[in-house]
Amino acid sequence: MSPRASTPSTHFARGLPLSLPLSLPLSLALLAGCGVAGRPLPPGPTPPAAPLLAAPTHTPDGVLLTLAAPVRDLDDQPVAEPGALELWAYRAARAEDCAGPPLARGTADGLRVPTHALGGPLRVVAVRSGRVGEPSAPLTITWSAPPPAPEAPLAFVDGTGQVQLSWLPPEAPVTEVEIQRDGRAVARAPAAAALWSERPGPGRHRYTLVGLAPQARTAPSPAAAVDVPPDTR
């Protein structure tokens, strides 16, 4: 990180605002409360600022926390490599309580926090190339069970080699379904559409549906399996 001695920057350390020139010692001081207390960091990318989080998505075994805005660093610059970011959750009412192993770890695409970790205030930090950033504001989340999983879809391979998938539309509040092939999401569709198709590679494939509702995500449905023959055209 390059010092920016001429540019004032306001951050928080131990809950108190600081208005000081940003430098490497200051950046390290800001991190002293979360995860790496007292550990000197080698030169490298500027640590992330506190992440801004969207409303939690309730899942069968906990909540999914996602970013409401792209992560910026302590110099207020966008982090250009979001794939290198991790999100860590700590049970902490105060910033200085973020110490030791995190309760949960995830990528910038989402952090899954299990129900047993939701018993008090949580703070989330972004981690960039091993450099732990500022903690988020405290979150207190009351978990609620999502709707039941959709019924198993119906699937068959038509004469052109395409997989044709159909389903019984789930009841409200589910508005969309995530279509998964072999455990990985491949598409989203309106729940009421009830039809979807694709041409995957040859072989045996298993399709499941996950119901999506406002701030809720169901368990996967039972699977429908199909055998796609090799393309002999």
Side-chain angles (χ1 to χ4, degrees):
M1 180 183 70
S2 300
R4 297 180 59 188
S6 61
T7 304
S9 181
T10 300
H11 301 297
F12 288 85
R14 298 189 179 275
L16 298 177
L18 300 177
S19 183
L20 296 170
L22 185 60
S23 63
L24 180 59
L26 172 58
S27 297
L28 296 183
L30 291 172
L31 302 182
C34 250
V36 290
R39 182 190 306 169
L41 295 178
T46 307
L52 298 175
L53 301 171
T57 298
H58 296 259
T59 69
D61 55 1
V63 297
L64 175 66
L65 299 178
T66 56
L67 295 170
V71 174
R72 303 182 76 85
D73 66 22
L74 290 177
D75 289 333
D76 200 31
Q77 299 300 308
V79 175
E81 66 286 4
L85 286 173
E86 288 188 70
L87 298 177
W88 294 2
Y90 288 88
R91 182 177 288 117
R94 304 171 303 168
E96 57 264 38
D97 292 337
C98 297
L103 290 170
R105 296 173 62 163
T107 68
D109 293 330
L111 168 65
R112 298 181 183 276
V113 183
T115 52
H116 67 75
L118 298 175
L122 298 176
R123 287 181 185 264
V124 175
V125 297
V127 183
R128 180 188 193 187
S129 300
R131 301 168 71 83
V132 180
E134 293 182 310
S136 70
L139 309 168
T140 300
I141 302 170
T142 301
W143 178 81
S144 57
E151 295 186 22
L154 299 175
F156 70 93
V157 181
D158 67 17
T160 69
Q162 287 206 116
V163 172
Q164 301 289 341
L165 203 69
S166 63
W167 60 86
L168 183 67
E171 296 182 0
V174 173
T175 58
E176 290 185 293
V177 294
E178 179 182 274
I179 298 158
Q180 297 185 349
R181 182 198 332 118
D182 303 325
R184 300 185 65 178
V186 293
R188 284 190 180 190
L195 293 170
W196 180 82
S197 64
E198 71 159 356
R199 188 189 300 273
R204 187 169 183 82
H205 299 290
R206 293 167 56 85
Y207 289 88
T208 55
L209 303 175
V210 173
L212 305 176
Q215 295 182 32
R217 178 183 177 89
T218 74
S221 70
V226 293
D227 292 299
V228 179
D231 188 351
T232 57
R233 289 178 297 172

